[in-house]
Amino acid sequence: MPLKLYNTLSGQTEPFAPLDPAGRRVTFYTCGPTVYDYAHIGNFRSFLNADLLRRTLELLGYDVVHVMNMTDVGHMTEDTAGDGAGEDRMQVARRRLLEAKKAGTLPADATDIDPDDPYAVADYYIEAFLADARRLGLTVAREAANRPELMPRPTNYVPQMIELVKTLLAKQNAYVAEDGAVYFDVRSFGAYGRLSGNTIDALRESAGGRVAAQHQALKRHPADFLLWKPDASHIMRWPSPWGDGYPGWHLECSVMAQSLLGRDTNGVIDIHSGGEDNIFPHHECEIAQACSATGEPAFARFWFHTRHLSVEGEKMAKSKGNFYTLGDLLKRGASPAAIRLQLTTTHYRSNANFTFQGLHDSQRQIDRWSRLQAFLRADPPTAGPLAQTLEPFTEALSDDLGVAKAIGLLNEAVGMYAIKLHANEPQPQATKTNISNGSPPAGELEALETMLRVLGVDDIDRTVTLQETDIDTALIKSMLARRDAARANGDWATSDRIRQELNAMGIALKDDPRGTTWTKVVR
């Protein structure tokens, strides 16, 4: 089945075909986290959408080689500036850990970290990220347990970065400024700006962000970007022909993608993904330096970008109290499966809004699928609506990851079973009156588990972890009794008020002819 995928580079949805002459092997590079802090759910939305694309490719029969970097050097606090201004983010992590150590607020697993050792700091946050990523079913993170080269660290590739800078200097795509810093000359690459829609003429003063005046004066063009910075006092530094210093952030992905994925294709790969904030300047600069070095017209043939995530309609910010890591949500009782589903249900090219009601709804879907899966395992039919849905489900995902349509088709097939799949209800024997003949050869259980595997919720924890001790059952029963009395007397205002009070406590109500049932909502 052909895959159609939106390509940021062309601004169009295009048929996908890999470079591999046999048409099966796909090379895929994802911009990963900068390991100076815990990853938040906005980061994970981008990573999980890349994983959904990978799983869709595998559903279609492709063999995906997926690499995701773990940035541990060279990423400055103002990387949008052409000279990489600000301070190294590993230095930011060092200061944060020192402050926490002084205040006695370090996490228990971080008390032995030496904040003055940037490699130890990176190791700590890498392990934290890998643990979160594996809980959420990120395939490349699981593979990296046995193949660590799939999640490379830039600090292991500095010699290759230096060689790339040498190549760009030799080809006159780069120059050494008066202060010894090496910059890429954007005017030497005519396609600069194609990915982001910028033009060199427009990228003048303050190009791409705040640029320090003393560095700007040394550059040939305001948009020229840093390749190597001599700085003998920097927190992480290496010897080079241009003095002890550190590489520019943009170098790392070009080097690692070409080293690990592009050796047989002169540095060209099939797919490169990241968040939309990576488009400019990071990915734009990657293309410029990679193509200039290889002479190829492309670095990645498809560019895949996920848009931003807000929380309850607002931009995430620690100051607003809506900045959530996976650990924050797990402490509130959310299951990894529901978190993953909530982060990937909205199409990757649309801004998404994370809500706790949405998280609750995602858990209800997960529970429904799980109950049907248990039923099918106990009494597996060989044909039925799930088997018939697998092909249109695949078609939906093959159309630029139409995940909402795919989930809708899955739920429609699930609904064709005459089973009470709602919580707090007894499970009667299933009837199969809606199951038709002439279905594809896949069995019902196999089809369901295939679809759950592609969505990434098949083999991760689906269980809400709130304990009974988190709930004041006696208070809830008392409030429900008062609500029942109000409803019996036609006092709907009081009934609604009590429902709202329970909602504020994280209790969701469901009224039906047999009475009212309640469930705990993650908040």
Side-chain angles (χ1 to χ4, degrees), residues 6-9 46 195 272-280 283 303-307 348-349:
Y6 183 83
N7 188 352
T8 307
L9 189 63
S46 176
L195 181 73
H272 195 314
S273 75
E276 69 172 333
D277 55 319
N278 291 142
I279 295 173
F280 187 84
H283 289 168
W303 289 85
F304 176 92
H305 292 103
T306 294
R307 297 198 68 180
Y348 75 94
R349 285 198 291 119

Side-chain angles (χ1 to χ4, degrees), residues 365 369 389 393 402-415 455:
Q365 285 200 43
W369 296 340
T389 297
F393 175 92
V403 63
K405 182 177 180 180
I407 291 173
L409 289 165
L410 170 58
N411 284 333
E412 183 178 351
V414 170
L455 295 175

Side-chain angles (χ1 to χ4, degrees), residues 11-239:
Q12 296 178 345
T13 301
E14 304 173 5
F16 174 80
L19 286 162
D20 175 25
R24 304 320 311 160
R25 183 175 183 268
V26 175
T27 50
F28 189 171
Y29 186 91
T30 292
C31 271
T34 300
V35 289
Y36 77 111
D37 202 349
Y38 301 105
H40 57 70
I41 57 175
N43 301 137
F44 273 113
R45 180 177 189 239
S46 176
F47 305 147
L48 292 173
N49 274 314
D51 189 63
L52 178 62
L53 173 57
R54 183 222 172 115
R55 288 168 181 260
T56 298
L57 287 162
E58 291 174 339
L59 175 67
L60 296 174
Y62 292 106
D63 177 18
V64 182
V65 185
H66 193 186
V67 170
M68 180 182 191
N69 66 293
M70 309 287 280
T71 296
D72 59 353
V73 64
H75 194 167
M76 311 299 286
T77 54
E78 295 184 25
D79 275 316
T80 52
D83 58 346
E87 81 183 302
D88 191 299
R89 296 196 183 197
M90 298 308 297
Q91 183 69 32
V92 176
R94 171 185 177 275
R95 186 170 61 253
R96 186 194 314 111
L97 289 172
L98 283 172
E99 291 171 355
K101 194 170 187 177
K102 184 177 180 180
T105 57
L106 274 176
D109 60 351
T111 54
D112 294 332
I113 297 175
D114 178 4
D116 291 319
D117 180 355
Y119 292 94
V121 174
D123 286 344
Y124 172 73
Y125 285 116
I126 284 173
E127 290 306 313
F129 175 81
L130 288 172
D132 285 352
R134 288 165 183 159
R135 287 189 189 99
L136 289 172
L138 198 66
T139 310
V140 67
R142 291 178 170 180
E143 289 180 328
N146 296 317
R147 298 180 61 194
E149 71 275 10
L150 296 177
M151 300 191 77
R153 303 186 189 192
T155 48
N156 294 329
Y157 286 81
V158 174
Q160 293 92 323
M161 295 185 209
I162 291 173
E163 289 304 312
L164 177 54
V165 176
K166 289 180 179 179
T167 298
L168 293 171
L169 284 167
K171 291 192 171 189
Q172 299 185 335
N173 295 109
Y175 59 92
V176 181
E178 290 181 13
D179 63 350
V182 185
Y183 291 98
F184 185 91
D185 183 351
V186 296
R187 288 177 294 184
S188 72
F189 183 68
Y192 191 80
R194 181 183 169 198
L195 181 73
S196 61
N198 287 308
T199 65
I200 291 178
D201 288 341
L203 295 171
R204 294 292 177 183
E205 201 66 36
S206 298
R210 295 183 296 276
V211 181
Q214 67 269 29
H215 299 298
Q216 188 74 296
L218 299 173
K219 296 195 296 181
R220 295 177 182 174
H221 188 277
D224 291 351
F225 58 88
L226 184 71
L227 296 174
W228 189 268
K229 179 75 170 180
D231 184 349
S233 65
H234 196 72
I235 186 173
M236 302 174 88
R237 58 190 179 273
W238 294 262

Side-chain angles (χ1 to χ4, degrees), residues 368 371 417-423 425-430 514:
R368 194 166 185 246
R371 283 191 288 274
Y417 274 87
I419 309 172
K420 300 293 186 181
L421 294 175
H422 301 290
E425 294 184 6
Q427 301 296 304
Q429 292 296 315
R514 293 177 297 173

Side-chain angles (χ1 to χ4, degrees), residues 334-348:
S335 75
I339 296 168
R340 176 176 178 126
L341 187 63
Q342 167 75 345
L343 290 175
T344 55
T345 296
T346 300
H347 191 264
Y348 75 94

